[in-house]
Amino acid sequence: MNIGIVGYPTYGGSGVVATELSKGLAQRGHKVHFMSYARPQRLDAFETNISFHEVSINAYPLFEYPPYDLALASHMVNLIEYQKLDLLHVHYAIPHTTSAFLAKQILGAKAAHVPIITTLHGTDITIVGSDPSYLPVVNFSINQSDGVTAVSGFLRDETYMRFEINNAIEVIPNFVDLVRFKRNVKEHFRKAIVQDGEKIITHVSNFRKVKRVTDVAEVFSRVLNAGIKAKLLFVGDGPERSTVEALCRELGCCEHVRFLGKQENVEDILSLSDVFLMPSASETFGLAALEAMSCGVPVVSSDVGGLPELNRDGVTGFVCKLEDVDAMADRVIAMFSDDDLHARMQKAARTRAEEFELDHVVAMYEAYYEKIVARLRKKVAYQP
Ligand code: GMT
């Protein structure tokens, strides 16, 4: 198939899923056209069967807010027409689904057989999409999609609850490359960070408020105060970075905290880690936690959204009440005080991650595409 994929290029979940899915589909022989305003970090320049199409915006002085959604729609029009796309798969509803709807309207009968498939990821529903300034447009655009998927059962139910949806939403979970994300401890890296016997606690995110990075520092400081020798690694960057740095100074734990910034080979860091912390206020799936689990790292998370679907309490780590940093610290201390428990959880985390194997989930998308393409072609009586 000729597949158009649209996603964000940023250091966040939906962009990673769109990119890794593109690579998986390309490996299965599909031709993928990836559209975004910049090349995603995980998309190499030379990928067989993938072309990257940069959507550039004309920054005319009149535009305080250049209309990216319109530039994207124009790009979609060109690709549907000249690359003969069989389908358009957009990741994150805002504004991608709306641009896709507009592109199809522009092309009329020429694109009637090309389905729009929207994958809902998270904040496009739970935070941004539910904001009154976007809600009617998001609701309309989702209903105009020919196929809709959500990355967890939680997100599907939440979408039905917050919007008036007249479409079936299929749950296709996020996935992980088990070969890339496997435990492979590079001793020289570990030695550069910790001394013998010290533990490593890791957090990876885009440091938005919703990630509650300050809770990570609070948990870590309690673990240190319990007499456990450990280092905390913060991977990623974003708006809360300076707030959490200030908090670490206040808590007096700065010398044990390393801010590593955005990292390409995050699997090297996860491989060294003994526990992964995800205290988020909202998390529809928790892809970063899945990647950690795949590297055999138990997760201590909050109990929001799709996290309890992924992280099994008492098995692959612990699930604690949102904001309960004391409970989170107690669970980390419990794990670090019991080698058998920690080893069991490390193994269980990897076993759980194996249920989200990349190829298996890419095949689910492929089957879904075939179903939606066939259904639309029949509906519009398309003759190739
Ligand atoms: O919040 C992020 O880290 C990015 C965000 C997004 O929408 O791009 O991630 C969401 O999608 C990811 C991939 O499907 C999920 O794993 C994250 O749980 C979800 N984030 C939130 O719900 C806050």
Side-chain angles (χ1 to χ4, degrees), residues 8 10-17 92 119-124 126-127 151 154-155 174 205-206 208 210-211 278 280 282-288 307:
Y8 282 107
T10 45
Y11 196 77
S14 67
V16 170
V17 173
Y92 204 92
T119 290
L120 306 171
H121 278 275
T123 49
D124 47 349
T126 55
I127 300 179
V151 298
F154 164 81
L155 183 58
N174 286 334
S205 79
N206 47 26
R208 285 180 294 158
V210 70
K211 301 292 176 184
M278 187 174 258
S280 307
S282 170
E283 203 71 65
T284 57
F285 182 90
L287 182 61
L307 285 174

PDB file of all heavy atoms in Angstrom, residues 8 10-17 92 119-124 126-127 151 154-155 174 205-206 208 210-211 278 280 282-288 307, ligand 1:
ATOM      1  N   TYR A   8       3.727  14.313  14.859  1.00  0.00           N
ATOM      2  CA  TYR A   8       4.597  15.370  15.381  1.00  0.00           C
ATOM      3  C   TYR A   8       6.027  14.842  15.450  1.00  0.00           C
ATOM      4  O   TYR A   8       6.234  13.658  15.728  1.00  0.00           O
ATOM      5  CB  TYR A   8       4.122  15.816  16.770  1.00  0.00           C
ATOM      6  CG  TYR A   8       2.930  16.732  16.689  1.00  0.00           C
ATOM      7  CD1 TYR A   8       1.662  16.302  17.043  1.00  0.00           C
ATOM      8  CD2 TYR A   8       3.087  18.032  16.222  1.00  0.00           C
ATOM      9  CE1 TYR A   8       0.572  17.155  16.944  1.00  0.00           C
ATOM     10  CE2 TYR A   8       2.000  18.888  16.123  1.00  0.00           C
ATOM     11  CZ  TYR A   8       0.757  18.439  16.485  1.00  0.00           C
ATOM     12  OH  TYR A   8      -0.316  19.283  16.373  1.00  0.00           O
ATOM     13  N   THR A  10       8.212  15.737  17.625  1.00  0.00           N
ATOM     14  CA  THR A  10       8.761  16.105  18.937  1.00  0.00           C
ATOM     15  C   THR A  10       9.139  14.880  19.780  1.00  0.00           C
ATOM     16  O   THR A  10       8.815  13.750  19.451  1.00  0.00           O
ATOM     17  CB  THR A  10       7.722  16.932  19.696  1.00  0.00           C
ATOM     18  OG1 THR A  10       6.464  16.279  19.536  1.00  0.00           O
ATOM     19  CG2 THR A  10       7.622  18.330  19.152  1.00  0.00           C
ATOM     20  N   TYR A  11       9.803  15.201  20.917  1.00  0.00           N
ATOM     21  CA  TYR A  11      10.270  14.171  21.843  1.00  0.00           C
ATOM     22  C   TYR A  11       9.083  13.729  22.688  1.00  0.00           C
ATOM     23  O   TYR A  11       9.030  13.924  23.876  1.00  0.00           O
ATOM     24  CB  TYR A  11      11.351  14.813  22.725  1.00  0.00           C
ATOM     25  CG  TYR A  11      12.221  13.854  23.491  1.00  0.00           C
ATOM     26  CD1 TYR A  11      13.245  13.176  22.846  1.00  0.00           C
ATOM     27  CD2 TYR A  11      12.047  13.658  24.854  1.00  0.00           C
ATOM     28  CE1 TYR A  11      14.056  12.314  23.554  1.00  0.00           C
ATOM     29  CE2 TYR A  11      12.859  12.799  25.569  1.00  0.00           C
ATOM     30  CZ  TYR A  11      13.859  12.134  24.909  1.00  0.00           C
ATOM     31  OH  TYR A  11      14.670  11.282  25.608  1.00  0.00           O
ATOM     32  N   GLY A  12       8.094  13.163  22.070  1.00  0.00           N
ATOM     33  CA  GLY A  12       6.891  12.756  22.819  1.00  0.00           C
ATOM     34  C   GLY A  12       6.305  11.524  22.175  1.00  0.00           C
ATOM     35  O   GLY A  12       6.649  11.170  21.041  1.00  0.00           O
ATOM     36  N   GLY A  13       5.409  10.894  22.896  1.00  0.00           N
ATOM     37  CA  GLY A  13       4.907   9.587  22.520  1.00  0.00           C
ATOM     38  C   GLY A  13       4.313   9.450  21.133  1.00  0.00           C
ATOM     39  O   GLY A  13       4.654   8.535  20.395  1.00  0.00           O
ATOM     40  N   SER A  14       3.415  10.396  20.753  1.00  0.00           N
ATOM     41  CA  SER A  14       2.697  10.186  19.494  1.00  0.00           C
ATOM     42  C   SER A  14       3.646  10.218  18.298  1.00  0.00           C
ATOM     43  O   SER A  14       3.468   9.463  17.336  1.00  0.00           O
ATOM     44  CB  SER A  14       1.575  11.213  19.331  1.00  0.00           C
ATOM     45  OG  SER A  14       2.104  12.501  19.161  1.00  0.00           O
ATOM     46  N   GLY A  15       4.649  11.083  18.370  1.00  0.00           N
ATOM     47  CA  GLY A  15       5.634  11.164  17.282  1.00  0.00           C
ATOM     48  C   GLY A  15       6.471   9.900  17.188  1.00  0.00           C
ATOM     49  O   GLY A  15       6.789   9.416  16.087  1.00  0.00           O
ATOM     50  N   VAL A  16       6.806   9.354  18.352  1.00  0.00           N
ATOM     51  CA  VAL A  16       7.605   8.116  18.372  1.00  0.00           C
ATOM     52  C   VAL A  16       6.791   6.973  17.761  1.00  0.00           C
ATOM     53  O   VAL A  16       7.280   6.209  16.927  1.00  0.00           O
ATOM     54  CB  VAL A  16       8.035   7.768  19.824  1.00  0.00           C
ATOM     55  CG1 VAL A  16       8.636   6.376  19.896  1.00  0.00           C
ATOM     56  CG2 VAL A  16       9.024   8.796  20.335  1.00  0.00           C
ATOM     57  N   VAL A  17       5.516   6.884  18.141  1.00  0.00           N
ATOM     58  CA  VAL A  17       4.673   5.800  17.615  1.00  0.00           C
ATOM     59  C   VAL A  17       4.523   5.943  16.096  1.00  0.00           C
ATOM     60  O   VAL A  17       4.672   4.968  15.347  1.00  0.00           O
ATOM     61  CB  VAL A  17       3.283   5.807  18.311  1.00  0.00           C
ATOM     62  CG1 VAL A  17       2.343   4.810  17.659  1.00  0.00           C
ATOM     63  CG2 VAL A  17       3.435   5.486  19.796  1.00  0.00           C
ATOM     64  N   TYR A  92      -2.518  11.878  16.427  1.00  0.00           N
ATOM     65  CA  TYR A  92      -2.860  13.040  17.234  1.00  0.00           C
ATOM     66  C   TYR A  92      -3.870  13.858  16.424  1.00  0.00           C
ATOM     67  O   TYR A  92      -3.581  14.344  15.339  1.00  0.00           O
ATOM     68  CB  TYR A  92      -1.623  13.889  17.571  1.00  0.00           C
ATOM     69  CG  TYR A  92      -1.773  14.725  18.820  1.00  0.00           C
ATOM     70  CD1 TYR A  92      -1.358  14.229  20.054  1.00  0.00           C
ATOM     71  CD2 TYR A  92      -2.309  15.999  18.760  1.00  0.00           C
ATOM     72  CE1 TYR A  92      -1.480  15.009  21.197  1.00  0.00           C
ATOM     73  CE2 TYR A  92      -2.437  16.778  19.903  1.00  0.00           C
ATOM     74  CZ  TYR A  92      -2.022  16.283  21.124  1.00  0.00           C
ATOM     75  OH  TYR A  92      -2.129  17.063  22.252  1.00  0.00           O
ATOM     76  N   THR A 119      -5.438   8.126  14.751  1.00  0.00           N
ATOM     77  CA  THR A 119      -5.058   7.475  16.005  1.00  0.00           C
ATOM     78  C   THR A 119      -5.019   8.530  17.108  1.00  0.00           C
ATOM     79  O   THR A 119      -4.275   9.512  17.011  1.00  0.00           O
ATOM     80  CB  THR A 119      -3.705   6.741  15.875  1.00  0.00           C
ATOM     81  OG1 THR A 119      -3.898   5.601  15.039  1.00  0.00           O
ATOM     82  CG2 THR A 119      -3.190   6.255  17.226  1.00  0.00           C
ATOM     83  N   LEU A 120      -5.835   8.298  18.125  1.00  0.00           N
ATOM     84  CA  LEU A 120      -5.882   9.207  19.273  1.00  0.00           C
ATOM     85  C   LEU A 120      -4.777   8.781  20.239  1.00  0.00           C
ATOM     86  O   LEU A 120      -4.612   7.579  20.495  1.00  0.00           O
ATOM     87  CB  LEU A 120      -7.255   9.117  19.944  1.00  0.00           C
ATOM     88  CG  LEU A 120      -8.449   9.349  19.005  1.00  0.00           C
ATOM     89  CD1 LEU A 120      -9.758   9.013  19.709  1.00  0.00           C
ATOM     90  CD2 LEU A 120      -8.455  10.778  18.486  1.00  0.00           C
ATOM     91  N   HIS A 121      -4.058   9.767  20.761  1.00  0.00           N
ATOM     92  CA  HIS A 121      -2.911   9.406  21.610  1.00  0.00           C
ATOM     93  C   HIS A 121      -3.065   9.785  23.072  1.00  0.00           C
ATOM     94  O   HIS A 121      -2.599   9.060  23.940  1.00  0.00           O
ATOM     95  CB  HIS A 121      -1.633  10.036  21.054  1.00  0.00           C
ATOM     96  CG  HIS A 121      -1.062   9.239  19.943  1.00  0.00           C
ATOM     97  ND1 HIS A 121      -0.225   8.178  20.137  1.00  0.00           N
ATOM     98  CD2 HIS A 121      -1.257   9.311  18.613  1.00  0.00           C
ATOM     99  CE1 HIS A 121       0.098   7.638  18.978  1.00  0.00           C
ATOM    100  NE2 HIS A 121      -0.525   8.312  18.029  1.00  0.00           N
ATOM    101  N   GLY A 122      -3.613  10.961  23.320  1.00  0.00           N
ATOM    102  CA  GLY A 122      -3.656  11.313  24.746  1.00  0.00           C
ATOM    103  C   GLY A 122      -4.175  12.697  24.953  1.00  0.00           C
ATOM    104  O   GLY A 122      -5.391  12.924  25.002  1.00  0.00           O
ATOM    105  N   THR A 123      -3.254  13.648  25.001  1.00  0.00           N
ATOM    106  CA  THR A 123      -3.659  15.013  25.334  1.00  0.00           C
ATOM    107  C   THR A 123      -4.548  15.602  24.236  1.00  0.00           C
ATOM    108  O   THR A 123      -5.239  16.581  24.481  1.00  0.00           O
ATOM    109  CB  THR A 123      -2.412  15.888  25.555  1.00  0.00           C
ATOM    110  OG1 THR A 123      -1.512  15.694  24.452  1.00  0.00           O
ATOM    111  CG2 THR A 123      -1.708  15.494  26.831  1.00  0.00           C
ATOM    112  N   ASP A 124      -4.540  14.999  23.039  1.00  0.00           N
ATOM    113  CA  ASP A 124      -5.469  15.458  21.991  1.00  0.00           C
ATOM    114  C   ASP A 124      -6.919  15.201  22.409  1.00  0.00           C
ATOM    115  O   ASP A 124      -7.847  15.767  21.854  1.00  0.00           O
ATOM    116  CB  ASP A 124      -5.168  14.809  20.624  1.00  0.00           C
ATOM    117  CG  ASP A 124      -4.968  13.308  20.675  1.00  0.00           C
ATOM    118  OD1 ASP A 124      -4.844  12.740  21.770  1.00  0.00           O
ATOM    119  OD2 ASP A 124      -4.933  12.680  19.596  1.00  0.00           O
ATOM    120  N   THR A 126      -7.593  14.240  26.214  1.00  0.00           N
ATOM    121  CA  THR A 126      -7.765  14.484  27.648  1.00  0.00           C
ATOM    122  C   THR A 126      -7.516  15.931  28.076  1.00  0.00           C
ATOM    123  O   THR A 126      -8.071  16.377  29.073  1.00  0.00           O
ATOM    124  CB  THR A 126      -6.817  13.582  28.463  1.00  0.00           C
ATOM    125  OG1 THR A 126      -5.487  13.810  27.977  1.00  0.00           O
ATOM    126  CG2 THR A 126      -7.165  12.121  28.319  1.00  0.00           C
ATOM    127  N   ILE A 127      -6.650  16.632  27.365  1.00  0.00           N
ATOM    128  CA  ILE A 127      -6.343  18.003  27.811  1.00  0.00           C
ATOM    129  C   ILE A 127      -6.672  19.016  26.704  1.00  0.00           C
ATOM    130  O   ILE A 127      -7.630  19.771  26.805  1.00  0.00           O
ATOM    131  CB  ILE A 127      -4.868  18.136  28.269  1.00  0.00           C
ATOM    132  CG1 ILE A 127      -4.608  17.178  29.449  1.00  0.00           C
ATOM    133  CG2 ILE A 127      -4.551  19.579  28.672  1.00  0.00           C
ATOM    134  CD1 ILE A 127      -3.210  17.172  29.991  1.00  0.00           C
ATOM    135  N   VAL A 151      -4.950   4.306  21.768  1.00  0.00           N
ATOM    136  CA  VAL A 151      -3.814   3.506  22.218  1.00  0.00           C
ATOM    137  C   VAL A 151      -4.079   2.706  23.501  1.00  0.00           C
ATOM    138  O   VAL A 151      -3.229   1.920  23.914  1.00  0.00           O
ATOM    139  CB  VAL A 151      -2.528   4.358  22.396  1.00  0.00           C
ATOM    140  CG1 VAL A 151      -2.099   4.963  21.067  1.00  0.00           C
ATOM    141  CG2 VAL A 151      -2.730   5.457  23.445  1.00  0.00           C
ATOM    142  N   PHE A 154      -8.584   2.733  28.161  1.00  0.00           N
ATOM    143  CA  PHE A 154      -8.896   3.955  28.912  1.00  0.00           C
ATOM    144  C   PHE A 154      -9.186   5.108  27.955  1.00  0.00           C
ATOM    145  O   PHE A 154     -10.171   5.821  28.101  1.00  0.00           O
ATOM    146  CB  PHE A 154      -7.725   4.313  29.848  1.00  0.00           C
ATOM    147  CG  PHE A 154      -7.804   5.726  30.342  1.00  0.00           C
ATOM    148  CD1 PHE A 154      -8.633   6.048  31.412  1.00  0.00           C
ATOM    149  CD2 PHE A 154      -7.095   6.744  29.718  1.00  0.00           C
ATOM    150  CE1 PHE A 154      -8.739   7.358  31.852  1.00  0.00           C
ATOM    151  CE2 PHE A 154      -7.198   8.059  30.151  1.00  0.00           C
ATOM    152  CZ  PHE A 154      -8.015   8.363  31.224  1.00  0.00           C
ATOM    153  N   LEU A 155      -8.319   5.290  26.949  1.00  0.00           N
ATOM    154  CA  LEU A 155      -8.479   6.440  26.036  1.00  0.00           C
ATOM    155  C   LEU A 155      -9.743   6.291  25.187  1.00  0.00           C
ATOM    156  O   LEU A 155     -10.444   7.271  24.929  1.00  0.00           O
ATOM    157  CB  LEU A 155      -7.234   6.589  25.147  1.00  0.00           C
ATOM    158  CG  LEU A 155      -7.254   7.785  24.199  1.00  0.00           C
ATOM    159  CD1 LEU A 155      -7.418   9.105  24.941  1.00  0.00           C
ATOM    160  CD2 LEU A 155      -5.981   7.843  23.350  1.00  0.00           C
ATOM    161  N   ASN A 174       0.135   0.708  22.005  1.00  0.00           N
ATOM    162  CA  ASN A 174       1.493   1.073  21.588  1.00  0.00           C
ATOM    163  C   ASN A 174       2.385  -0.154  21.633  1.00  0.00           C
ATOM    164  O   ASN A 174       1.994  -1.209  22.137  1.00  0.00           O
ATOM    165  CB  ASN A 174       2.021   2.189  22.481  1.00  0.00           C
ATOM    166  CG  ASN A 174       1.354   3.509  22.143  1.00  0.00           C
ATOM    167  OD1 ASN A 174       0.910   3.701  21.015  1.00  0.00           O
ATOM    168  ND2 ASN A 174       1.253   4.403  23.113  1.00  0.00           N
ATOM    169  N   SER A 205      10.930  12.001  30.080  1.00  0.00           N
ATOM    170  CA  SER A 205       9.693  12.662  29.621  1.00  0.00           C
ATOM    171  C   SER A 205      10.036  13.965  28.924  1.00  0.00           C
ATOM    172  O   SER A 205      11.200  14.335  28.781  1.00  0.00           O
ATOM    173  CB  SER A 205       8.741  12.945  30.791  1.00  0.00           C
ATOM    174  OG  SER A 205       9.141  14.097  31.505  1.00  0.00           O
ATOM    175  N   ASN A 206       8.963  14.656  28.530  1.00  0.00           N
ATOM    176  CA  ASN A 206       9.133  15.977  27.929  1.00  0.00           C
ATOM    177  C   ASN A 206       8.904  17.087  28.971  1.00  0.00           C
ATOM    178  O   ASN A 206       8.685  18.237  28.598  1.00  0.00           O
ATOM    179  CB  ASN A 206       8.219  16.147  26.718  1.00  0.00           C
ATOM    180  CG  ASN A 206       6.805  15.691  27.032  1.00  0.00           C
ATOM    181  OD1 ASN A 206       6.388  15.708  28.193  1.00  0.00           O
ATOM    182  ND2 ASN A 206       6.068  15.280  26.026  1.00  0.00           N
ATOM    183  N   ARG A 208       6.646  18.240  30.738  1.00  0.00           N
ATOM    184  CA  ARG A 208       5.477  19.105  30.823  1.00  0.00           C
ATOM    185  C   ARG A 208       4.865  18.927  32.204  1.00  0.00           C
ATOM    186  O   ARG A 208       5.105  17.921  32.867  1.00  0.00           O
ATOM    187  CB  ARG A 208       4.466  18.740  29.730  1.00  0.00           C
ATOM    188  CG  ARG A 208       4.903  19.237  28.363  1.00  0.00           C
ATOM    189  CD  ARG A 208       3.894  18.875  27.313  1.00  0.00           C
ATOM    190  NE  ARG A 208       3.825  17.445  27.124  1.00  0.00           N
ATOM    191  CZ  ARG A 208       2.792  16.804  26.606  1.00  0.00           C
ATOM    192  NH1 ARG A 208       1.729  17.459  26.230  1.00  0.00           N
ATOM    193  NH2 ARG A 208       2.810  15.496  26.442  1.00  0.00           N
ATOM    194  N   VAL A 210       2.101  17.956  33.216  1.00  0.00           N
ATOM    195  CA  VAL A 210       1.345  16.722  33.377  1.00  0.00           C
ATOM    196  C   VAL A 210       2.246  15.534  33.826  1.00  0.00           C
ATOM    197  O   VAL A 210       1.765  14.571  34.395  1.00  0.00           O
ATOM    198  CB  VAL A 210       0.604  16.426  32.039  1.00  0.00           C
ATOM    199  CG1 VAL A 210       1.580  16.029  30.934  1.00  0.00           C
ATOM    200  CG2 VAL A 210      -0.486  15.412  32.192  1.00  0.00           C
ATOM    201  N   LYS A 211       3.550  15.660  33.608  1.00  0.00           N
ATOM    202  CA  LYS A 211       4.475  14.568  33.972  1.00  0.00           C
ATOM    203  C   LYS A 211       4.855  14.577  35.448  1.00  0.00           C
ATOM    204  O   LYS A 211       5.468  13.639  35.938  1.00  0.00           O
ATOM    205  CB  LYS A 211       5.755  14.638  33.119  1.00  0.00           C
ATOM    206  CG  LYS A 211       5.508  14.549  31.624  1.00  0.00           C
ATOM    207  CD  LYS A 211       5.015  13.174  31.225  1.00  0.00           C
ATOM    208  CE  LYS A 211       4.678  13.127  29.750  1.00  0.00           C
ATOM    209  NZ  LYS A 211       4.111  11.845  29.332  1.00  0.00           N
ATOM    210  N   MET A 278       7.230   7.051  36.962  1.00  0.00           N
ATOM    211  CA  MET A 278       6.273   7.764  36.102  1.00  0.00           C
ATOM    212  C   MET A 278       5.081   8.213  36.963  1.00  0.00           C
ATOM    213  O   MET A 278       4.064   7.524  37.032  1.00  0.00           O
ATOM    214  CB  MET A 278       5.828   6.869  34.945  1.00  0.00           C
ATOM    215  CG  MET A 278       4.978   7.616  33.946  1.00  0.00           C
ATOM    216  SD  MET A 278       4.583   6.646  32.476  1.00  0.00           S
ATOM    217  CE  MET A 278       5.707   7.304  31.272  1.00  0.00           C
ATOM    218  N   SER A 280       2.926  10.585  36.562  1.00  0.00           N
ATOM    219  CA  SER A 280       2.099  11.508  35.759  1.00  0.00           C
ATOM    220  C   SER A 280       0.702  11.769  36.324  1.00  0.00           C
ATOM    221  O   SER A 280       0.082  10.887  36.927  1.00  0.00           O
ATOM    222  CB  SER A 280       1.914  10.955  34.355  1.00  0.00           C
ATOM    223  OG  SER A 280       3.136  10.649  33.775  1.00  0.00           O
ATOM    224  N   SER A 282      -1.672  12.505  34.156  1.00  0.00           N
ATOM    225  CA  SER A 282      -2.529  11.968  33.096  1.00  0.00           C
ATOM    226  C   SER A 282      -1.612  11.215  32.144  1.00  0.00           C
ATOM    227  O   SER A 282      -0.527  11.697  31.804  1.00  0.00           O
ATOM    228  CB  SER A 282      -3.218  13.135  32.392  1.00  0.00           C
ATOM    229  OG  SER A 282      -3.872  12.681  31.233  1.00  0.00           O
ATOM    230  N   GLU A 283      -2.005  10.021  31.766  1.00  0.00           N
ATOM    231  CA  GLU A 283      -1.138   9.216  30.883  1.00  0.00           C
ATOM    232  C   GLU A 283      -2.029   8.148  30.253  1.00  0.00           C
ATOM    233  O   GLU A 283      -2.492   7.246  30.932  1.00  0.00           O
ATOM    234  CB  GLU A 283      -0.037   8.567  31.735  1.00  0.00           C
ATOM    235  CG  GLU A 283       1.199   8.174  31.002  1.00  0.00           C
ATOM    236  CD  GLU A 283       2.046   9.362  30.537  1.00  0.00           C
ATOM    237  OE1 GLU A 283       2.570  10.101  31.383  1.00  0.00           O
ATOM    238  OE2 GLU A 283       2.177   9.525  29.312  1.00  0.00           O
ATOM    239  N   THR A 284      -2.274   8.291  28.971  1.00  0.00           N
ATOM    240  CA  THR A 284      -3.222   7.349  28.355  1.00  0.00           C
ATOM    241  C   THR A 284      -2.630   5.961  28.173  1.00  0.00           C
ATOM    242  O   THR A 284      -3.333   4.966  28.185  1.00  0.00           O
ATOM    243  CB  THR A 284      -3.656   7.863  26.982  1.00  0.00           C
ATOM    244  OG1 THR A 284      -2.491   8.032  26.203  1.00  0.00           O
ATOM    245  CG2 THR A 284      -4.425   9.142  27.106  1.00  0.00           C
ATOM    246  N   PHE A 285      -1.309   5.903  27.977  1.00  0.00           N
ATOM    247  CA  PHE A 285      -0.662   4.599  27.792  1.00  0.00           C
ATOM    248  C   PHE A 285       0.628   4.525  28.611  1.00  0.00           C
ATOM    249  O   PHE A 285       0.772   3.668  29.467  1.00  0.00           O
ATOM    250  CB  PHE A 285      -0.362   4.356  26.302  1.00  0.00           C
ATOM    251  CG  PHE A 285       0.256   3.008  26.057  1.00  0.00           C
ATOM    252  CD1 PHE A 285      -0.535   1.899  25.806  1.00  0.00           C
ATOM    253  CD2 PHE A 285       1.646   2.837  26.111  1.00  0.00           C
ATOM    254  CE1 PHE A 285       0.031   0.636  25.622  1.00  0.00           C
ATOM    255  CE2 PHE A 285       2.217   1.588  25.926  1.00  0.00           C
ATOM    256  CZ  PHE A 285       1.407   0.485  25.676  1.00  0.00           C
ATOM    257  N   GLY A 286       1.570   5.418  28.322  1.00  0.00           N
ATOM    258  CA  GLY A 286       2.846   5.416  29.032  1.00  0.00           C
ATOM    259  C   GLY A 286       3.922   4.684  28.247  1.00  0.00           C
ATOM    260  O   GLY A 286       4.541   3.733  28.729  1.00  0.00           O
ATOM    261  N   LEU A 287       4.150   5.167  27.013  1.00  0.00           N
ATOM    262  CA  LEU A 287       5.118   4.500  26.140  1.00  0.00           C
ATOM    263  C   LEU A 287       6.525   4.461  26.754  1.00  0.00           C
ATOM    264  O   LEU A 287       7.237   3.455  26.636  1.00  0.00           O
ATOM    265  CB  LEU A 287       5.156   5.222  24.787  1.00  0.00           C
ATOM    266  CG  LEU A 287       6.073   4.634  23.726  1.00  0.00           C
ATOM    267  CD1 LEU A 287       5.674   3.212  23.363  1.00  0.00           C
ATOM    268  CD2 LEU A 287       6.087   5.504  22.468  1.00  0.00           C
ATOM    269  N   ALA A 288       6.910   5.543  27.420  1.00  0.00           N
ATOM    270  CA  ALA A 288       8.250   5.587  28.021  1.00  0.00           C
ATOM    271  C   ALA A 288       8.388   4.482  29.071  1.00  0.00           C
ATOM    272  O   ALA A 288       9.458   3.866  29.215  1.00  0.00           O
ATOM    273  CB  ALA A 288       8.499   6.955  28.647  1.00  0.00           C
ATOM    274  N   LEU A 307      -2.193   3.716  32.771  1.00  0.00           N
ATOM    275  CA  LEU A 307      -1.013   3.151  33.448  1.00  0.00           C
ATOM    276  C   LEU A 307      -1.296   1.815  34.146  1.00  0.00           C
ATOM    277  O   LEU A 307      -0.496   0.878  34.015  1.00  0.00           O
ATOM    278  CB  LEU A 307      -0.399   4.171  34.418  1.00  0.00           C
ATOM    279  CG  LEU A 307       0.395   5.287  33.714  1.00  0.00           C
ATOM    280  CD1 LEU A 307       0.850   6.341  34.711  1.00  0.00           C
ATOM    281  CD2 LEU A 307       1.594   4.711  32.965  1.00  0.00           C
TER     282      LEU A 307
HETATM  283  O1  GMT B   1       2.593  13.488  26.724  1.00  0.00           O
HETATM  284  C1  GMT B   1       3.448  13.024  25.993  1.00  0.00           C
HETATM  285  O2  GMT B   1       4.493  12.535  26.388  1.00  0.00           O
HETATM  286  C2  GMT B   1       3.217  13.083  24.527  1.00  0.00           C
HETATM  287  C3  GMT B   1       1.861  12.595  24.268  1.00  0.00           C
HETATM  288  C4  GMT B   1       1.398  12.857  22.902  1.00  0.00           C
HETATM  289  O3  GMT B   1       0.180  12.950  22.843  1.00  0.00           O
HETATM  290  O4  GMT B   1       2.195  13.003  21.997  1.00  0.00           O
HETATM  291  O5  GMT B   1       1.832  11.219  24.631  1.00  0.00           O
HETATM  292  C5  GMT B   1       0.617  10.563  24.664  1.00  0.00           C
HETATM  293  O6  GMT B   1       0.747   9.568  23.672  1.00  0.00           O
HETATM  294  C6  GMT B   1       1.687   8.545  23.968  1.00  0.00           C
HETATM  295  C7  GMT B   1       1.805   7.624  22.753  1.00  0.00           C
HETATM  296  O7  GMT B   1       0.596   7.060  22.403  1.00  0.00           O
HETATM  297  C8  GMT B   1       1.258   7.813  25.232  1.00  0.00           C
HETATM  298  O8  GMT B   1       2.173   6.776  25.525  1.00  0.00           O
HETATM  299  C9  GMT B   1       1.235   8.825  26.395  1.00  0.00           C
HETATM  300  O9  GMT B   1       0.741   8.172  27.543  1.00  0.00           O
HETATM  301  C10 GMT B   1       0.330   9.998  26.053  1.00  0.00           C
HETATM  302  N1  GMT B   1       0.543  11.064  27.046  1.00  0.00           N
HETATM  303  C11 GMT B   1      -0.432  11.492  27.839  1.00  0.00           C
HETATM  304  O10 GMT B   1      -1.547  10.999  27.864  1.00  0.00           O
HETATM  305  C12 GMT B   1      -0.067  12.600  28.760  1.00  0.00           C
END
